[in-house]
Amino acid sequence: MKKSSASKETAASRKAVAGKKTAAKQAAAKETEGKTSAAKKTPATKAPATKAAAGKTAAKKAAAGKTAVGKTAAKKAPAGNTAAKETAAKKAAPLKRQAPAKKPAVAPKKATAAVKGVAPAKTVAPTSPRGESRTALVRRARRIDRELAEVYPYAHPELDFENPFQLVVATVLSAQTTDLRVNQTTPALFAKYPTPEDLAAAVPEEVEEILRPTGFFRAKTKSVIGLSKALTEDFGGEVPGRLEDLVKLPGVGRKTAFVVLGNAFGRPGITVDTHFQRLVRRWRWTEETDPDKIEAAVGALFPKSDWTDLSHHVIWHGRRICHARKPACGACPIAPLCPAYGEGETDPEKAKKLLKYEKGGFPGQRLKPPQSYLDAGGKPAPPLGAG
């Protein structure tokens, strides 16, 4: 019995020990599971830290991006400055093309050759010189005059006259008609009335009959008889050599006065006739339309000593090449200097057919032209009624 009790106690103690061990194992297992679950939950708790790290990384990238952009902009900045300089240079380039110096040196020779019968190459004038400086305008205007002086070295007044009286009468008669018609009419007039005294005493009806071919013959008769009386009564039968005296004569304005002063007395003057007005506006020497204002504007571009010859050059060019309705641009020696190039015929062969007087091989306007004109190939005009 004692042995059984002892064995029971031993078995109970063993169970107790086994239970304790089992409980310990279970506690250890639970503790392990708790740690495991805690470890699994740790990432969730550390997420904010990860987001912060990501934010720092993004900030670093943004800073790096800004730095890269800044460096790129810094590298491009010099290029931008260079581009700006190049743009400014390009904008400044047209100013160089406006200058007369850019005209090809061979252009006048080619155009002159066309006038003599050889077709030149087509020329294109610079673009419109809007915004042209005063200095550039003066240079261009004077260069045009020099070119025309080479083309028309024999330019002269295209009215026949032998003295100041004949010139003033012929100039008054040239209004609203051609110089050719006047030259064909005046020989009969001066043959019958050679002096101011003779014409002052003339019968108006007889003078009208002589002047009929010139048109407006009644008004012209009144003017020439009136100026002849004024010369006889106020100036002793002599034509005065001053502008203020000439414009007092019947039918004599500034244009007529400057023709007389420049060609009979050698005193410089600008003759602003219809050809002169047309051409100086085409060349943009002035935009004025009033003859007196045109005279002042153009006169300011040239030395006074050049005024008379300048008038001849411009008027001759207007009559022979730069016509009112259809300019012969393709045969023009100053095409590279003309802002109006292209208004007329630019084909050299077609333009050549538009040339007038000696440039086209036809007679001039004077019955008795200067010898220099004849030497240059000009032909005298036929008398009234001849062919």
Side-chain angles (χ1 to χ4, degrees):
M1 292 297 292
K2 290 181 181 179
K3 287 181 181 178
S4 299
S5 302
S7 61
K8 288 180 180 179
E9 290 176 0
T10 303
S13 62
R14 285 178 183 173
K15 286 180 181 181
V17 171
K20 289 180 181 180
K21 288 180 179 180
T22 301
K25 287 181 181 179
Q26 290 177 352
K30 286 181 180 181
E31 185 177 357
T32 302
E33 289 176 0
K35 289 181 179 180
T36 303
S37 61
K40 290 179 180 179
K41 291 179 180 180
T42 301
T45 58
K46 290 184 177 179
T50 304
K51 290 181 179 179
K56 290 181 180 179
T57 303
K60 289 181 180 179
K61 288 182 178 179
K66 289 181 180 179
T67 304
V69 171
K71 290 181 179 179
T72 304
K75 290 180 180 179
K76 290 183 178 180
N81 293 338
T82 304
K85 291 179 180 178
E86 290 177 354
T87 303
K90 288 179 181 179
K91 288 182 179 179
L95 295 177
K96 294 182 180 179
R97 290 200 326 224
Q98 293 173 1
K102 288 296 179 182
K103 179 195 131 181
V106 296
K109 294 182 180 179
K110 288 182 180 179
T112 304
V115 170
K116 294 180 180 178
V118 180
K122 290 184 179 180
T123 55
V124 179
T127 55
S128 171
R130 295 190 183 280
E132 186 177 36
S133 69
R134 177 71 177 180
T135 300
L137 171 60
V138 171
R139 290 175 178 173
R140 184 170 62 87
R142 294 185 182 185
R143 184 165 184 176
I144 287 175
D145 185 42
R146 290 196 300 271
E147 297 287 354
L148 295 180
E150 293 181 6
V151 178
Y152 310 108
Y154 44 76
H156 56 268
E158 294 192 272
L159 290 169
D160 281 324
F161 71 98
E162 296 177 357
N163 54 58
F165 170 64
Q166 291 186 1
L167 180 57
V168 69
V169 170
T171 306
V172 170
L173 296 178
S174 67
Q176 305 298 318
T177 191
T178 64
D179 287 355
L180 172 60
R181 182 61 68 191
V182 173
N183 291 336
Q184 292 173 331
T185 304
T186 51
L189 179 68
F190 295 137
K192 191 170 185 178
Y193 310 105
T195 66
E197 291 82 1
D198 295 329
L199 190 53
V203 177
E205 289 75 16
E206 295 179 359
V207 176
E208 287 177 2
E209 191 60 30
I210 295 174
L211 301 184
R212 186 179 295 272
T214 66
F216 303 95
F217 57 91
R218 290 189 178 89
K220 291 179 179 179
T221 296
K222 184 178 179 180
S223 293
V224 296
I225 290 178
L227 73 84
S228 296
K229 288 181 177 179
L231 290 176
T232 301
E233 297 171 1
D234 301 332
F235 300 99
E238 299 292 334
V239 176
R242 298 195 311 165
L243 175 64
E244 53 269 32
D245 293 332
L246 285 170
V247 295
K248 293 178 183 178
L249 301 175
V252 177
R254 289 180 67 87
K255 184 195 82 171
T256 299
F258 281 127
V259 170
V260 175
L261 290 174
N263 297 286
F265 294 98
R267 297 177 182 176
I270 294 178
T271 304
V272 185
D273 71 349
T274 55
H275 300 289
F276 194 94
Q277 293 181 50
R278 180 178 72 253
L279 267 62
V280 297
R281 285 199 296 270
R282 275 182 179 170
W283 297 335
R284 295 193 180 161
W285 290 2
T286 179
E287 294 182 356
E288 299 291 347
T289 57
D290 179 76
D292 291 349
K293 292 181 179 179
I294 291 175
E295 176 196 325
V298 175
L301 302 176
F302 295 87
K304 191 173 182 179
S305 58
D306 292 348
W307 288 356
T308 300
D309 287 339
L310 169 69
S311 300
H312 292 324
H313 299 154
V314 175
I315 293 171
W316 274 59
H317 191 61
R319 285 174 172 168
R320 285 153 177 77
I321 296 178
C322 196
H323 311 137
R325 294 184 180 179
K326 198 171 184 181
C329 294
C332 181
I334 61 167
L337 297 170
C338 180
Y341 175 82
E343 287 187 7
E345 181 58 64
T346 57
D347 181 81
E349 287 300 325
K350 293 180 180 179
K352 180 182 174 184
K353 297 177 182 179
L354 300 175
L355 301 178
K356 294 183 179 180
Y357 302 111
E358 79 284 352
K359 293 299 180 185
F362 303 108
Q365 300 195 79
R366 291 188 67 165
L367 277 65
K368 298 178 180 179
Q371 188 60 44
S372 59
Y373 178 71
L374 298 175
D375 293 341
K379 300 177 181 179
L384 188 64

